[in-house]
Amino acid sequence: MTTKKPIGVFDSGFGGLTVLKEIVKQLPEYDYLYLGDNARAPYGTRSFETVYDYTLQCVKQLFAMNCELVILACNTASAKALRNIQQKDLPTLAPNKRVLGVIRPTTEIVGNFSKTGHIGVLGTPGTIASNSYPIEIEKFYPNLIVNQEACPMWVPIVENNEIETKEADSIIEKNLNNLLSKDKNIDTIILGCTHYPLLINKIKKHLPDNITLLSQGEIVAKGLVDYIKRHPEMEKKCSKGKTIEFYTTDSTINFDKAGSMFYGKEVKSKHLEL
Ligand code: DGL
């Protein structure tokens, strides 16, 4: 019997399910293992050290569950932990395994969407404070002008299922106005948090029609298709049995209920103690 070697997809909670959904659409033949650290979410307001510590623990867990390739489907973890994990931990921990994030695939293509050359980024306080988006965008498109806005309440709005409330509307409107008041020429906005696709209708309502919104699910999935093509050794290692397992560090009842909303299909999770 061959051992299952699923592709690991990690998020602080539910947000990564919006990414997993697109990955499975584009690469349906693989086995997947999703881990949501719901018991310790949100990560967005936590310190660099804490996010790094929690993320590394989850990556080790996914490695122990036979994942050769792990996607950090969380901007906060990608911004605060990925570089350290790739450069400091992987060489000793598991030199042949790989961990990829969501920021790079997004920054690689953002320039294709903007006519004005003015970009907006929305994210958690942690992602925005890390400056990861402006730094990464500069590497690919040094002429783009990037302005950011931290949206500390957007993840709690989604996690608490308060999307359809008046308060949500006014918070979202305020953050978007703040961003546009920093730069009136923005024509492309990156939703730099995997929770935000759930708010897309509200966001669109408060933005002029000429602004393009970039959600990460499809972009990250395309990036992974490309990565796998360029890395046949990894392609061979990942098993292809079309299974998807969901794990949460919190209650499975809550995960299954909210998770289905993010994943767009029924989700049945197992509890995992870290
Ligand atoms: N989904 C995470 C992200 O993409 C944020 C959620 C959190 O704050 O834990 O940044």
Side-chain angles (χ1 to χ4, degrees):
M1 206 181 86
T2 52
T3 325
K4 202 198 270 185
K5 292 192 170 171
I7 296 176
V9 178
F10 163 74
D11 182 48
S12 59
F14 299 113
L17 290 168
T18 62
V19 176
L20 176 68
K21 184 166 87 179
E22 292 298 329
I23 293 180
V24 174
K25 229 188 250 172
Q26 295 196 33
L27 294 165
E29 63 275 35
Y30 292 92
D31 292 305
Y32 294 94
L33 205 157
Y34 184 87
L35 172 58
D37 190 11
N38 299 77
R40 302 186 294 196
Y43 279 15
T45 43
R46 295 192 187 274
S47 71
F48 182 94
E49 290 72 22
T50 305
V51 173
Y52 167 55
D53 190 35
Y54 288 176
T55 306
L56 180 59
Q57 226 181 319
C58 292
V59 166
K60 282 183 180 166
Q61 179 64 43
L62 288 165
F63 284 173
M65 293 163 100
N66 267 334
C67 297
E68 294 288 326
L69 177 63
V70 171
I71 316 296
L72 301 185
C74 174
N75 288 270
T76 312
S78 300
K80 292 186 162 196
L82 181 63
R83 182 185 289 263
N84 263 355
I85 292 177
Q86 285 176 333
Q87 295 180 358
K88 226 179 72 194
D89 301 301
L90 268 188
T92 48
L93 193 66
N96 296 322
K97 300 200 183 217
R98 289 293 171 265
V99 181
L100 308 175
V102 288
I103 294 180
R104 186 170 171 142
T106 313
T107 54
E108 262 174 9
I109 53 110
V110 64
N112 303 341
F113 293 87
S114 178
K115 289 196 181 75
T116 61
H118 293 246
I119 308 293
V121 180
L122 300 165
T124 64
T127 300
I128 300 304
S130 74
N131 255 334
S132 297
Y133 273 98
I135 293 169
E136 287 297 315
I137 291 173
E138 231 229 311
K139 289 184 195 158
F140 298 106
Y141 305 99
N143 296 326
L144 290 184
I145 293 159
V146 184
N147 274 280
Q148 317 186 83
E149 170 75 5
C151 309
M153 294 311 294
W154 290 23
V155 169
I157 288 171
V158 175
E159 292 273 325
N160 300 327
N161 203 4
E162 287 169 0
I163 300 174
E164 295 311 326
T165 61
K166 275 206 195 90
E167 290 73 22
D169 257 311
S170 66
I171 291 168
I172 290 169
E173 187 179 14
K174 187 167 159 244
N175 285 127
L176 293 173
N177 287 344
N178 284 349
L179 177 66
L180 295 181
S181 71
K182 290 173 196 165
D183 181 353
K184 303 252 171 312
N185 295 318
I186 288 173
D187 69 348
T188 306
I189 295 181
I190 296 175
L191 300 184
C193 171
T194 52
H195 276 67
Y196 298 175
L198 272 284
L199 297 169
I200 199 140
N201 290 334
K202 294 262 157 187
I203 301 170
K204 279 187 183 156
K205 190 169 128 190
H206 297 292
L207 280 179
D209 291 339
N210 66 316
I211 294 187
T212 304
L213 282 178
L214 296 185
S215 280
Q216 291 175 308
E218 226 182 298
I219 296 170
V220 173
K222 278 198 187 126
L224 184 59
V225 171
D226 187 49
Y227 176 86
I228 281 180
K229 259 193 219 142
R230 285 184 289 111
H231 294 86
E233 75 294 349
M234 188 53 83
E235 199 275 334
K236 274 194 210 96
K237 275 196 242 172
C238 299
S239 62
K240 299 174 189 71
K242 299 187 178 177
T243 64
I244 308 173
E245 286 182 69
F246 300 90
Y247 289 87
T248 174
T249 55
D250 202 6
S251 140
T252 55
I253 297 168
N254 291 348
F255 187 90
D256 295 353
K257 211 156 92 199
S260 309
M261 189 170 90
F262 282 80
Y263 194 56
K265 264 194 225 169
E266 202 193 331
V267 161
K268 272 224 127 332
S269 62
K270 291 179 207 143
H271 178 76
L272 194 113
E273 202 69 49
L274 283 178

